[in-house]
Amino acid sequence: KAQQPVVWTNWYRQEDDGAYGAIDRFWGPRGLYPPGGTVKGHAENPMWIDTRYGKNATDTVPAMGPITEDEKSLVIKSMHLSKMADKDEHGDDILYPMLQAWGVDTIVIVGAWTEDCVIATCYEAADRYGLDVVLVTDAIATGSPVHQKAMDTMQAACGKTLMAEELVQYFAS
């Protein structure tokens, strides 16, 4: 085994999270429901996690999630598109100091919402922190039609792309 550190980050925005900002101003009262459709009496902002799907709607899919307590301590409940932008209760970066402590100079990104969290994390990791970025093409997805455009943009600007099997072969060598 390559023994590489893994960090799980989960989008954690909810209607009552107190983190109102630019994304909320952009979406305003628009959202996933037609006029008159509401959640908690408000039109739904599609950036919020819909807790009608259960109290664990923000958790990682169990088959891909952390198992041990040490692994569970590496879960970041993210309030930002870029996972590099999350702060602790003191306003300090969460993810980058972890990467520094491990001596990481390359991050491997897998996950969802190519044109949101994946692209924002890719650009900030490369531009702000000088990290090399590997994007696992068959382990990144989105629910919109712009996935391939976002992947092409990241590959052209700041991220190397590999298929999962290529990454496994690299770690095995």
Side-chain angles (χ1 to χ4, degrees), residues 77-141:
K77 293 188 175 186
S78 179
M79 301 293 278
H80 300 279
L81 294 178
S82 171
K83 304 308 138 197
M84 306 300 293
D86 288 302
K87 309 284 186 201
D88 65 16
E89 63 276 4
H90 306 292
D92 297 322
D93 288 344
I94 297 173
L95 183 54
Y96 187 62
M98 294 166 67
L99 301 176
Q100 282 183 302
W102 292 323
V104 169
D105 63 1
T106 303
I107 62 170
V108 176
I109 298 178
V110 301
W113 294 102
T114 315
E115 73 280 10
D116 289 324
C117 297
V118 173
I119 202 168
T121 304
C122 176
Y123 276 98
E124 187 168 7
D127 187 42
R128 181 176 182 196
Y129 295 105
L131 296 169
D132 292 333
V133 177
V134 176
L135 303 157
V136 184
T137 57
D138 53 342
I140 294 174

